[in-house]
Amino acid sequence: MKAKWLSCCFMAVLISITSVMSGAQVPPPGSGRDAAHFIPMRQRVKMMEQFWAWKKQHVLPMIMREQGVDMWIVRSDEEPLYRQASYSEHPVYLSLLPANQGGMVLPSKYARTGMDVPKILIFYDTGKEIEFIEPRDYEEITEIVRKRDPKKIAISMKNLYIERRKIGDTEQLTVVKSDKLQKVLGKKYAARTVDSWHLGILWLSICSPEQISAYRYVQGVQNDILAEAFSNQAIIPDFTTIGDLNWWIRHRYLELDLDCDNHPYVNIRRRPSKIAQYKESAKYFRQGMTTAENVIIRRGDIVGLDSDIMLLGLETDTQYYAYVLQEGEKDVPPSLKRVLRIMNEMLDEYRKVYVVGRTAQEIIDAGNKIKPKDPMMVEAEFGFHPLPMYIRRFSENGLKFSRGTYVAGIGSGYKQHPLLSPKLTLHYNTLYAHEPHFSFAVPEWGEEKLSFAIEQGVVFTERGCEFLDRGNLEWFVIK
């Protein structure tokens, strides 16, 4: 798929947020070079809309032809199976709605008011381009389909319809299953329908080259904030609590006009001897770890953080670790340096299992065949999932359409979403959270295994699996 550059304005923004990285030496992750470059809200929305415009021009025809589909009918009432949150909006429908560069959804050509938006979207592959058709109603679909005579029609096979039914003396809105679309298609064309589930996943998950470039910046902003959080700027050993650090991070997001989907998840790991020393907090530890907000971060602790930011349509998902120096220590203990080195070596080995055309299960199986070479690592489990994303669109009168995030792609399992399809395979220009879990036997940490989940955003392109902006190659050190 050949990339087409977007507008000069959009490229100027990308240049501005990456110009600091030019020169003989690129600053390391966490150096603050990304968080220092603020993108105004209006420009953020414009960039996101340009991403969708590029995808309509390039991704939509590619995936329809790959799936052998020459007509795709998308409805506003399709089940939101891609959703991470419990909102009713469907991200495929929302993202395909015509909108201007300000994220304002254009009204239906049949609209009586500005609030009326298209309820049914039809995309037809003429062989030269993808034709967009908005039918007036379900009945007009019959004529549209008959005129174009598509050989394969993609529709949602799991649809919800809200109908007004009379129950007793009152009328109530009732959710019922219906085959309304199948009826208007008629037997001839209904027989040509296929489920649009895979088409929707590919539409949402395949990114433009400019998106990937921008998302490297987004991950860099996340890494910069985590580097600040894992420093004496945010942590004063023996005074700062887990709760203090959680809210310091939330406030930092607020200062940068960043949203997040989850409250930061701070945890600490502590040596058995130190747990016994600080008896007031010992009850909160399980297997050497705690997340209790009132527990004070002590010298000698390992501080872990799982957090996200939402920017330019991407939600990051990152887990990093820091070490709090004990009195008299000048550096991280050799055993923990060895632990991080082993984890990073395994992360690089796992990147090799992302091969175009593999299913999720084939990727997982290949990853779990990789065994640690260092006996200090006693357990390793490979895992990955699509990075969450979101849409921000409004009607002409300012009504917000989208609220939650969505997940679409392949992975090793994510919050009960049906992402593991035996047919869907790995495609280029897709994003994932690289999330293996490791356990180590570290003598000074007692009999309990020292366990970590180190998580970073990656992108799969024709160059292979690459980190968006790799961090935690070295321990963050809190003095």
Side-chain angles (χ1 to χ4, degrees):
M1 181 173 58
K2 186 177 180 181
K4 179 179 180 181
W5 295 108
L6 297 177
S7 68
C8 294
C9 179
F10 174 50
M11 289 311 302
V13 173
L14 283 181
I15 291 169
S16 71
I17 63 180
T18 57
S19 60
V20 72
M21 299 176 65
S22 63
Q25 186 175 3
V26 176
S31 62
R33 89 282 194 208
D34 287 313
H37 289 257
F38 177 84
I39 303 178
M41 184 60 67
R42 187 177 186 181
Q43 191 61 50
R44 295 182 194 184
V45 174
K46 189 174 182 179
M47 290 171 69
M48 290 166 64
E49 286 303 325
Q50 288 172 320
F51 294 157
W52 291 116
W54 191 96
K55 288 178 59 156
K56 279 186 178 180
Q57 186 175 358
H58 297 275
V59 176
L60 188 58
M62 182 191 76
I63 60 175
M64 287 180 67
R65 290 162 191 170
E66 176 190 302
Q67 298 289 308
V69 169
D70 46 358
M71 180 173 283
W72 187 10
I73 303 177
V74 181
R75 294 161 286 179
S76 63
D77 54 0
E78 293 181 9
E79 286 192 30
L81 297 178
Y82 310 85
R83 277 290 178 193
Q84 178 176 337
S86 58
Y87 297 109
S88 61
E89 304 102 336
H90 195 298
V92 171
Y93 163 74
L94 284 176
S95 61
L96 286 167
L97 277 172
N100 64 23
Q101 288 193 332
M104 299 297 178
V105 174
L106 302 179
S108 167
K109 65 181 181 180
Y110 306 111
R112 295 179 180 177
T113 70
M115 292 182 63
D116 293 331
V117 299
K119 302 299 182 184
I120 306 168
L121 313 174
I122 298 179
F123 299 91
Y124 176 67
D125 187 358
T126 67
K128 294 183 179 180
E129 62 180 1
I130 302 298
E131 178 188 12
F132 169 65
I133 311 140
E134 181 198 347
R136 179 185 298 275
D137 49 32
Y138 270 90
E139 285 63 37
E140 192 181 1
I141 293 176
T142 305
E143 180 183 347
I144 292 169
V145 173
R146 186 182 298 122
K147 181 179 178 180
R148 289 161 180 80
D149 191 30
K151 301 299 182 288
K152 186 183 286 189
I153 307 168
I155 66 171
S156 173
M157 295 296 187
K158 298 178 179 178
N159 233 42
L160 287 178
Y161 294 86
I162 300 177
E163 294 185 357
R164 187 175 296 277
R165 288 185 171 183
K166 191 168 184 178
I167 301 177
D169 296 329
T170 62
E171 285 191 345
Q172 297 181 15
L173 292 177
T174 307
V175 177
V176 297
K177 292 287 183 180
S178 172
D179 59 351
K180 192 173 183 178
L181 181 56
Q182 295 274 4
K183 288 179 180 178
V184 299
L185 287 174
K187 289 184 179 180
K188 176 181 177 180
Y189 292 105
R192 299 181 185 182
T193 59
V194 295
D195 197 341
S196 61
W197 173 240
H198 284 165
L199 202 57
I201 290 178
L202 293 174
W203 163 249
L204 292 173
S205 62
I206 296 176
C207 296
S208 74
E210 289 77 18
Q211 261 183 296
I212 293 169
S213 178
Y215 290 166
R216 293 185 190 278
Y217 157 75
V218 174
Q219 184 67 62
V221 173
Q222 171 79 92
N223 289 350
D224 288 347
I225 296 170
L226 297 191
E228 292 177 20
F230 282 157
S231 72
N232 293 104
Q233 183 176 344
I235 299 174
I236 302 175
D238 297 325
F239 288 93
T240 303
T241 66
I242 287 177
D244 292 336
L245 184 56
N246 277 331
W247 284 102
W248 186 95
I249 296 166
R250 283 284 295 276
H251 191 76
R252 188 71 179 108
Y253 292 164
L254 180 65
E255 290 176 336
L256 293 172
D257 285 335
L258 297 171
D259 199 359
C260 60
D261 205 31
N262 303 283
H263 190 62
Y265 179 80
V266 175
N267 55 78
I268 59 176
R269 291 156 178 78
R270 184 171 292 173
R271 295 172 174 85
S273 59
K274 293 286 187 178
I275 294 175
Q277 178 181 344
Y278 300 106
K279 296 179 181 179
E280 74 283 356
S281 60
K283 63 183 179 181
Y284 298 109
F285 283 82
R286 297 292 183 274
Q287 297 180 326
M289 189 178 85
T290 185
T291 60
E293 289 216 339
N294 61 331
V295 172
I296 296 171
I297 298 170
R298 301 291 186 178
R299 294 194 174 276
D301 285 348
I302 293 174
V303 184
L305 175 60
D306 185 354
S307 189
D308 65 84
I309 62 169
M310 299 170 68
L311 180 61
L312 300 179
L314 178 71
E315 180 186 347
T316 62
D317 196 352
T318 308
Q319 294 188 60
Y320 285 164
Y321 299 91
Y323 179 73
V324 187
L325 294 179
Q326 299 185 84
E327 294 290 350
E329 282 186 326
K330 302 297 184 183
D331 201 357
V332 178
S335 60
L336 293 184
K337 285 189 174 183
R338 182 179 168 188
V339 163
L340 188 57
R341 175 182 57 78
I342 297 168
M343 286 197 289
N344 277 304
E345 288 173 354
M346 290 292 288
L347 285 176
D348 284 330
E349 287 297 312
Y350 285 144
R351 287 195 295 135
K352 299 174 184 177
V353 305
Y354 293 87
V355 177
V356 69
R358 278 185 173 175
T359 64
Q361 194 59 55
E362 288 170 341
I363 294 170
I364 296 162
D365 291 343
N368 286 330
K369 288 179 182 177
I370 298 173
K371 303 302 179 185
K373 299 176 182 178
D374 194 310
M376 179 179 274
M377 180 179 283
V378 294
E379 289 180 4
E381 182 181 5
F382 174 68
F384 75 107
H385 63 76
L387 281 171
M389 296 179 134
Y390 65 94
I391 304 168
R392 289 291 180 266
R393 281 187 162 170
F394 300 82
S395 66
E396 281 197 336
N397 69 343
L399 178 66
K400 190 174 185 179
F401 280 116
S402 50
R403 298 174 180 85
T405 55
Y406 63 86
V407 287
I410 62 174
S412 54
Y414 192 59
K415 297 186 179 179
Q416 308 302 314
H417 285 273
L419 299 173
L420 296 181
S421 166
K423 295 181 180 179
L424 194 60
T425 59
L426 183 64
H427 283 64
Y428 292 129
N429 292 356
T430 51
L431 301 171
Y432 303 93
H434 201 47
E435 189 182 9
H437 291 70
F438 305 116
S439 293
F440 295 86
V442 183
E444 57 265 44
W445 288 76
E447 296 181 359
E448 294 285 355
K449 297 173 184 175
L450 197 53
S451 297
F452 299 91
I454 189 163
E455 187 172 18
Q456 301 188 21
V458 297
V459 58
F460 180 71
T461 69
E462 292 182 357
R463 294 187 302 272
C465 179
E466 301 174 333
F467 292 101
L468 288 173
D469 186 77
R470 189 169 189 174
N472 226 169
L473 283 166
E474 303 291 340
W475 282 94
F476 291 99
V477 179
I478 301 162
K479 298 178 180 180

